[in-house]
Amino acid sequence: MPGIEVVIVGGGVIGWACGRALATRGTGVAIVDPGPVPGAATPASAGMLAAQTEAHDERKPGVLALCVRARETTLRTARSLTDTTGIDVGLLQRGIAQLALDETEERTLRAAVAHQRQLGLRAEWLDATEVHSAWPATAPARGAAFVPEDGALDPTALAAGLRADAERVGVRHIPQRARALEVADTQVRGVRTEAGLQEADAVVLAAGAWSSELRLLPRPLPVEPMRGQMIALPWPERMQPAILYGHGGYLLPRRSEALVGATMESVGFDHTTTPDAQAWLRAIARAVIPSLGLAPVARHWAGLRPMTPDGLPLIGPDPQLDGLWYATGHGRNGILLAVLTGEIIADLLHTGQAPVDAGAFRPDRFHRSGSRHNQPNG
């Protein structure tokens, strides 16, 4: 077994995806993570693979293509994890329908379908009759944008599968909290934990919303927590499982429940739930499937997404501190981008070349002045 060459800070789905990808290339990897923390993003996530459904911002060239590539990479990995670990990640790939509940939404969604079809992607416009036939319990709609290749999976199962596969190929777990980088001149030498120094040639920061709390980073990290609240209601009887977007949110079937999400709240590290959010989420459910209007709330929870100013993750090397790598800031798309993030990090560390054009995710995009930052964070 190789010695530890790379330390990954963070044991969520991103950290284990990076560890697995590195270890399969022969790298000695340790993941430093104390264990589950309240508000962590992975277990609170819905697990959406909504690469096309949530492709709203065409001002970011190449991002849609990256998300589609991430979806395909995740689907392949999800299936292979069952073979290598026996873990079923709960893949649901029956497509996603985004309902047009008014005229404005219809225009917007029709345009999105047309644009994606021009790009060679599969997308369909369903008229009102087709929507009612497919999902008779939904509210009257003017139609729907339907993406047959989008879907979802169980994020907790995906994380468990990635961890089991990573450990199978030699990744070690160090159940401690990383406190600070260890740096000599402009080279990372490892991380300081509660138990002392863990040496490594490279450090990958994948601690989600808590990434900025690692001390001695070369500059303040543009990653902040964004609270997302969700509720679970009973899935309607006699209705086939379907992922439905509408009224500013979505409904996702998982086992016997309808997961309804999700808020986007800038409240720091507060992961408590609120009555106002529950009321808003119930309104989404009622607008999409009216029969859920009086359904009892089975569960209500919140997680903290790591969000950057432009909503895109930081993936790649630090521009000035050798050996420091970022895999954080994934926002709403942590599950979708997790496996691809691992592949990008592993290939960059091994060959210097990413498997895709990930320029939109460059960590230096917020500070390209070329000046060296001498004041450490913390």
Side-chain angles (χ1 to χ4, degrees):
M1 181 181 297
I4 294 174
E5 302 165 65
V6 177
V7 164
I8 297 172
V9 178
V13 69
I14 304 293
W16 285 107
C18 290
R20 173 181 176 271
L22 284 162
T24 57
R25 290 160 175 79
T27 302
V29 182
I31 289 185
V32 177
D33 184 85
V37 295
T42 297
S45 168
M48 289 293 189
L49 302 177
Q52 294 172 235
T53 303
E54 296 199 4
H56 301 307
D57 197 340
E58 300 305 332
R59 296 171 300 173
K60 301 168 182 174
V63 173
L64 173 57
L66 279 168
C67 288
V68 170
R69 173 70 174 266
R71 181 187 65 200
E72 302 313 310
T73 303
T74 302
L75 292 173
R76 288 195 303 271
T77 301
R79 297 183 180 108
S80 70
L81 287 176
T82 301
D83 296 331
T84 57
T85 70
I87 295 174
D88 181 352
V89 302
L91 184 62
L92 177 64
Q93 196 184 12
R94 298 187 179 186
I96 295 180
Q98 193 163 8
L99 304 184
L101 299 175
D102 59 38
E103 186 177 353
T104 300
E105 288 181 345
E106 180 182 1
R107 286 197 302 269
T108 300
L109 293 175
R110 281 183 178 274
V113 168
H115 175 72
Q116 294 192 12
R117 290 173 67 90
Q118 288 174 353
L119 295 175
L121 299 172
R122 291 182 63 194
E124 305 170 15
W125 177 257
L126 306 180
D127 63 26
T129 300
E130 291 172 308
V131 172
H132 179 74
S133 176
W135 306 288
T138 57
R142 300 175 66 92
F146 182 66
V147 178
E149 295 180 352
D150 275 356
L153 49 71
D154 185 329
T156 303
L158 177 64
L162 290 171
R163 175 172 181 167
D165 209 36
E167 292 179 330
R168 180 183 65 85
V169 293
V171 176
R172 291 174 51 192
H173 177 221
I174 299 174
Q176 298 167 11
R177 186 177 305 280
R179 297 297 190 184
L181 286 175
E182 180 74 9
V183 179
D185 297 323
T186 60
Q187 175 66 50
V188 165
R189 299 299 183 189
V191 295
R192 290 277 175 184
T193 73
E194 298 152 320
L197 174 62
Q198 180 61 63
E199 292 184 294
D201 299 322
V203 172
V204 178
L205 184 52
W210 290 267
S211 294
S212 61
E213 295 196 334
L214 187 69
R215 296 183 1 248
L216 300 184
L217 293 174
R219 68 195 63 79
L221 195 65
V223 175
E224 297 182 354
M226 185 70 67
R227 184 171 68 189
Q229 296 189 53
M230 297 184 67
I231 60 173
L233 304 170
W235 187 258
E237 294 183 7
R238 295 183 296 280
M239 180 170 170
Q240 291 295 315
I243 305 174
L244 304 169
Y245 277 60
H247 200 62
Y250 57 79
L251 279 76
L252 166 73
R254 181 154 299 141
R255 291 176 282 276
S256 62
E257 293 182 328
L259 309 188
V260 187
T263 65
M264 292 276 286
E265 306 166 79
S266 181
V267 292
F269 286 93
D270 181 1
H271 61 271
T272 58
T273 58
T274 65
D276 286 349
Q278 183 174 132
W280 184 75
L281 293 165
R282 288 185 66 93
I284 290 171
R286 183 169 59 250
V288 175
I289 301 179
S291 64
L292 291 178
L294 298 177
V297 174
R299 294 183 295 127
H300 184 189
W301 67 97
L304 301 174
R305 309 182 188 93
M307 190 67 65
T308 65
D310 63 4
L312 300 179
L314 308 176
I315 306 175
D318 186 87
Q320 293 154 341
L321 185 55
D322 293 337
L324 176 60
W325 296 76
Y326 299 98
T328 188
H330 290 71
R332 292 172 60 95
N333 292 308
I335 300 302
L336 173 66
L337 294 174
V339 177
L340 183 63
T341 296
E343 297 298 316
I344 292 171
I345 290 292
D347 279 356
L348 284 174
L349 268 163
H350 274 261
T351 69
Q353 298 293 322
V356 292
D357 180 1
F361 301 158
R362 286 173 59 107
D364 64 350
R365 67 185 182 272
F366 298 115
H367 44 78
R368 289 185 176 176
S369 64
S371 62
R372 181 172 293 279
H373 297 252
N374 294 316
Q375 296 299 318
N377 176 19

